[in-house]
Amino acid sequence: MFDKVLIANRGEIAVRIARTCRDLGIRTVAVFSDADRQSLHVRMCDEAVRIGPAPSSESYLVAEAILAAAKQTGAQAIHPGYGFLAENAAFARLTTEAGLAFIGPSSAAMELMGDKARAREMAERASVPTVPGTPPIEDAAAASAAAEAIGFPLLVKATAGGGGKGMRLVEDAAALPGLFDQARSEAMASFGNPAVILEKFIELPRHIEFQIVADHHGNVVHLLERECSVQRRHQKLIEEAPSSFLDEELRSRMGAAAVSLASEASYRNAGTVEFLVDPDRNFYFLEMNTRLQVEHPVTELITGIDLVELQLEIASGAKLPFVQADIKPRGAAMELRITAEDPFDNFVPSGGRIRYLREAEGPGIRNDSGIATGSEVTPHYDPLIAKLIVAGDDRQQVLARARRAVREYQIDGVFTTLPFFSRMLRDDRFVANAIDVSFVDRHWMSEMAVAPIARHEELLEVALAAAAVSKASPAIREGGVPAESSRWKRFGLEDQLGNR
Amino acid sequence: MARKTKLYPIDGGEAYMVTVERAASGHRASSEAPDFDAHVATQGPGRMSVVTEKGSYEVSVERRNGEIAVKIENEWFRFNEERESADIAPRSRARAEVKAPMPGKVVQLLANVGEKVVAGQGILLFEAMKMQNEIRSPQDGVLSSMAVAVGQTIDARERLFVIKGNDS
């Protein structure tokens, strides 16, 4: 096992990786930009190295700076977390060439899975169902011919794409030529590669993914599924396991498909095979993510496995300590992604200082957070600030605990997605798991966000009482007590208010 | 000493009248319409505990630009501290200055100076926290000045543009 690991990331995932390293007695090295000197991950690691100014293109995305930090500190391995350089094959190669272990798959496996067309061929070779589609198509005439075989609606998708860029939904043949050209030029502009494919559009699908782990000795095991159908514009908001949509038979077929794909690709370390599942329970390979996922804690809570520990073990050459038959779910778990975005204003990002923070606690609660009271949420990085992960005996208990925890969780100073969860966790359709990946886009802003406040009369009275006291007592208004004022002065203020 | 405090619903309408007075460990806030009697204990800037006959509540309060926003159980209630005066009704103020909601970068201008715009129309595309968002006109009028250019990095509350009302 390694003695020292550099964590090439920031925020909650850097903190989460550092925790397991300490559990294992491994020294950790944080890297930080100028915007992150005060951030939690710097304090949670044993050593810390500045790697550049605030923009990630000049810090967290600069491979040379991170490798130099590893060399300077004598780290033996690099954990990339997710995002930034985590799926950058060149970075993985440079790390290995520098004589360090990259905690993740080989650069070849990353390149393979990063190319949608090649990943699809690999899936077909492994007999994993894929969405009916075409190889890359060059011109609109060829696209029209190929579209006949697939049928409408269909998607035009950039092979190098992601995040919805270079993607168009085509409803009928007449719209195809125009949208085909748009997707190609957007793909060229976004990825420097105009290649696009056509794909059947699966209506009302669910997103269900399988966690796999593979060692360097040819063993591949899946760690069950996560359902991630609560998404907004392809960004996941809630993930849970197990999926109440799967029965044992389908779970075992999908798990076997994920394992078969990873084996065919000679994949190593932790990865995730994503599937779309249609209402008739047909599943289709979507893509493979070659990294630790944001939502990995859900899997940890239902399997009892520390995935970061397992990643470190695998990277240092150990065999998987279990076989497929050992993997049985224990209860249920759900993750809520707390981002600094205002759900009532179409999730517009919200920056600022965390003026007050009190995380939810108690039975079944786990917090993976990158913030503390006083943290600045800056526009430079991803708005994910914390994850609230809830475990219980079954989904019903998890839902009850999640509602309680969301109510208990207090964050002041930035808008967050907590109010979204508050309403979502009470929605009958979500409670019945009668949803699909477009549910939030179809129902949130137009319906759920504008629905009347439950218990409005009761809460209005409380709001009026609080607002009136705030207005009548200037010294206790927000910012009325300067952060730098001494305790004595503060006591003096409270004395004047009769609030001792 | 009791103090009458007025709060104005954000969407207009009759003012609420709340009486605030000191009480042991905090303040008493009471009102006739709606009818309530609450004890409010302040626990730090913007943090309050409210106890009424109906229950015990944890509350946070933010005051900004004459608005008081109260969060209870993840629901927001908003009030104005003063009534908007009649001659600057929000729908057609003579001059509306729009500021950056947070630090970020200007990606694209969506309207030209001198152009007639309507309330809700996108005026510029603003990138913050890796997400692009439209900054919209708060009212009908004319885009009278643009204080920023494409590619410019902007601090929170920095002026972006000015809309002059149709009537001015």
Side-chain angles (χ1 to χ4, degrees):
Chain A
M1 181 52 85
F2 311 109
D3 300 316
K4 193 187 271 192
V5 170
L6 182 140
I7 302 167
N9 217 299
R10 63 177 302 283
E12 69 85 17
I13 193 60
V15 172
R16 188 262 166 273
I17 294 164
R19 284 185 169 133
T20 287
C21 289
R22 279 202 177 154
D23 287 350
L24 302 176
I26 300 171
R27 276 184 76 80
T28 49
V29 181
V31 291
F32 63 90
S33 74
D34 290 337
D36 273 334
R37 176 61 189 85
Q38 296 279 10
S39 292
L40 192 59
H41 76 278
V42 175
R43 292 178 245 173
M44 296 287 282
C45 288
D46 298 309
E47 298 174 39
V49 181
R50 177 191 177 273
I51 49 165
S56 44
S57 58
E58 298 171 44
S59 50
Y60 298 104
L61 289 172
V62 182
E64 296 73 22
I66 287 164
L67 290 169
K71 193 173 177 194
Q72 175 196 327
T73 54
Q76 300 148 323
I78 295 182
H79 196 306
Y82 55 72
F84 295 129
L85 294 169
E87 289 175 281
N88 185 312
F91 177 66
R93 193 168 49 243
L94 285 171
T95 302
T96 315
E97 283 169 7
L100 306 174
F102 180 82
I103 299 168
S106 67
S107 58
M110 268 190 222
E111 266 165 7
L112 172 63
M113 290 305 172
D115 180 327
K116 285 193 162 63
R118 286 178 64 202
R120 194 189 159 84
E121 286 167 22
M122 179 64 63
E124 281 161 7
R125 267 211 298 286
S127 306
V128 176
T130 57
V131 179
T134 67
I137 290 182
E138 299 291 329
D139 62 90
S144 294
E148 291 302 316
I150 297 171
F152 292 93
L154 58 77
L155 284 176
V156 186
K157 264 170 116 171
T159 59
K165 289 219 177 73
M167 197 191 291
R168 290 290 184 279
L169 173 62
V170 188
E171 300 280 0
D172 52 50
L176 181 63
L179 293 170
F180 179 84
D181 289 340
Q182 276 181 32
R184 270 180 70 89
S185 52
E186 195 170 297
M188 186 65 205
S190 300
F191 313 113
N193 177 359
V196 295
I197 58 170
L198 304 188
E199 214 173 76
K200 181 180 165 67
F201 178 65
I202 310 295
E203 295 190 72
L204 304 179
R206 288 160 180 278
H207 175 121
I208 298 176
E209 60 189 28
F210 276 72
Q211 175 73 53
I212 64 100
V213 285
D215 63 20
H216 292 253
H217 309 279
N219 303 302
V220 186
V221 170
H222 77 78
L223 302 181
L224 306 165
E225 77 279 9
R226 295 182 290 255
E227 168 142 18
C228 317
S229 298
V230 179
Q231 313 185 344
R232 179 185 164 269
R233 299 187 187 171
H234 305 289
Q235 295 289 321
K236 297 165 188 165
L237 288 158
I238 301 177
E239 304 97 346
E240 58 183 298
S243 165
S244 54
F245 189 72
L246 299 191
D247 54 26
E248 255 334 297
E249 188 271 334
L250 184 53
R251 175 172 294 118
S252 119
R253 276 200 291 133
M254 290 177 73
V259 166
S260 153
L261 179 71
S263 303
E264 184 71 34
S266 302
Y267 192 86
R268 304 280 175 267
N269 216 286
T272 294
V273 182
E274 298 188 335
F275 296 102
L276 289 178
V277 185
D278 74 17
D280 300 325
R281 295 173 194 266
N282 300 303
F283 67 92
Y284 306 93
F285 169 67
L286 188 60
E287 61 179 0
M288 181 165 188
N289 292 321
T290 56
R291 58 175 151 83
L292 188 66
Q293 301 265 112
V294 175
E295 59 271 28
H296 76 276
V298 163
T299 298
E300 296 185 323
L301 289 178
I302 66 155
T303 60
I305 293 166
D306 179 334
L307 277 167
V308 173
E309 177 177 354
L310 193 55
Q311 284 193 295
L312 290 161
E313 295 281 0
I314 291 170
S316 63
K319 282 188 179 170
L320 290 181
F322 44 70
V323 295
Q324 193 64 59
D326 297 331
I327 305 302
K328 298 268 184 282
R330 319 172 181 176
M334 180 178 288
E335 173 183 277
L336 310 176
R337 293 192 188 191
I338 303 176
T339 64
E341 296 174 309
D342 184 358
F344 294 115
D345 191 9
N346 217 4
F347 294 85
V348 58
S350 165
R353 199 172 73 89
I354 306 292
R355 205 175 64 237
Y356 181 81
L357 172 70
R358 202 182 70 238
E359 292 169 350
E361 292 175 45
I365 303 302
R366 164 172 163 180
N367 287 293
D368 280 17
S369 167
I371 55 166
T373 297
S375 292
E376 285 288 340
V377 179
T378 75
H380 299 292
Y381 313 114
D382 192 278
L384 180 69
I385 52 177
K387 302 183 311 205
L388 169 60
I389 310 115
V390 183
D393 293 340
D394 53 26
R395 188 168 190 261
Q396 196 183 345
Q397 186 179 45
V398 167
L399 282 170
R401 286 178 168 171
R403 285 187 205 108
R404 177 255 299 170
V406 165
R407 179 169 165 181
E408 186 176 322
Y409 212 121
Q410 302 286 325
I411 304 180
D412 291 349
V414 295
F415 290 112
T416 73
T417 41
L418 284 167
F420 168 83
F421 300 126
S422 180
R423 292 187 175 205
M424 195 71 185
L425 292 168
R426 285 176 174 76
D427 188 275
D428 292 341
R429 297 160 292 189
F430 176 69
V431 170
N433 197 19
I435 61 164
D436 63 87
V437 295
S438 66
F439 182 85
V440 175
D441 290 322
R442 283 186 291 128
H443 297 293
W444 174 254
M445 279 313 288
S446 61
E447 172 204 327
M448 296 171 68
V450 293
I453 295 174
R455 294 153 57 219
H456 181 269
E457 305 283 292
E458 175 194 350
L459 297 183
L460 173 66
E461 294 173 9
V462 179
L464 283 167
V469 170
S470 175
K471 188 180 174 188
S473 322
I476 57 171
R477 67 173 55 169
E478 195 221 320
V481 181
E484 63 275 21
S485 77
S486 76
R487 286 175 67 85
W488 298 110
K489 278 187 191 158
R490 219 177 300 175
F491 282 132
L493 267 176
E494 285 166 6
D495 196 26
Q496 287 164 30
L497 290 164
N499 187 16
R500 296 184 70 174
Chain B
M1 203 188 77
R3 190 165 154 184
K4 300 270 187 202
T5 305
K6 276 187 177 172
L7 295 164
Y8 299 89
I10 208 95
D11 47 4
E14 279 297 293
Y16 297 104
M17 182 76 79
V18 183
T19 303
V20 175
E21 58 202 303
R22 280 185 199 161
S25 324
H27 290 77
R28 181 181 169 209
S30 56
S31 150
E32 284 173 5
D35 182 18
F36 66 84
D37 192 341
H39 186 272
V40 180
T42 301
Q43 302 173 317
R47 302 290 316 171
M48 293 180 187
S49 159
V50 178
V51 173
T52 71
E53 279 185 354
K54 290 175 190 156
S56 170
Y57 308 85
E58 181 160 25
V59 175
S60 83
V61 181
E62 296 206 23
R63 296 175 65 166
R64 187 174 292 178
N65 307 328
E67 186 183 305
I68 304 182
V70 183
K71 186 173 58 179
I72 312 167
E73 293 175 22
N74 286 303
E75 298 293 351
W76 287 95
F77 292 82
R78 291 186 162 84
F79 309 101
N80 283 323
E81 294 193 38
E82 310 296 339
R83 181 176 295 289
E84 299 262 350
S85 68
D87 57 346
I88 50 165
R91 285 194 61 80
S92 63
R93 278 189 289 184
R95 183 175 182 280
E97 195 174 285
V98 175
K99 293 175 177 169
M102 69 195 77
K105 202 168 108 180
V106 178
V107 179
Q108 194 186 339
L109 304 181
L110 304 173
N112 299 312
V113 171
E115 195 175 309
K116 269 198 162 185
V117 298
V118 295
Q121 181 178 337
I123 304 297
L124 60 80
L125 210 52
F126 189 74
E127 184 180 286
M129 311 185 70
K130 305 200 306 184
M131 306 267 291
Q132 295 193 357
N133 294 282
E134 269 187 17
I135 306 290
R136 304 188 182 98
S137 175
Q139 62 179 39
D140 295 354
V142 172
L143 178 60
S144 74
S145 73
M146 179 63 73
V148 296
V150 171
Q152 197 175 330
T153 305
I154 310 287
D155 284 333
R157 291 179 292 282
E158 199 172 315
R159 191 174 81 185
L160 296 175
F161 54 84
V162 174
I163 306 288
K164 278 195 171 158
N166 282 329
D167 314 332
S168 62

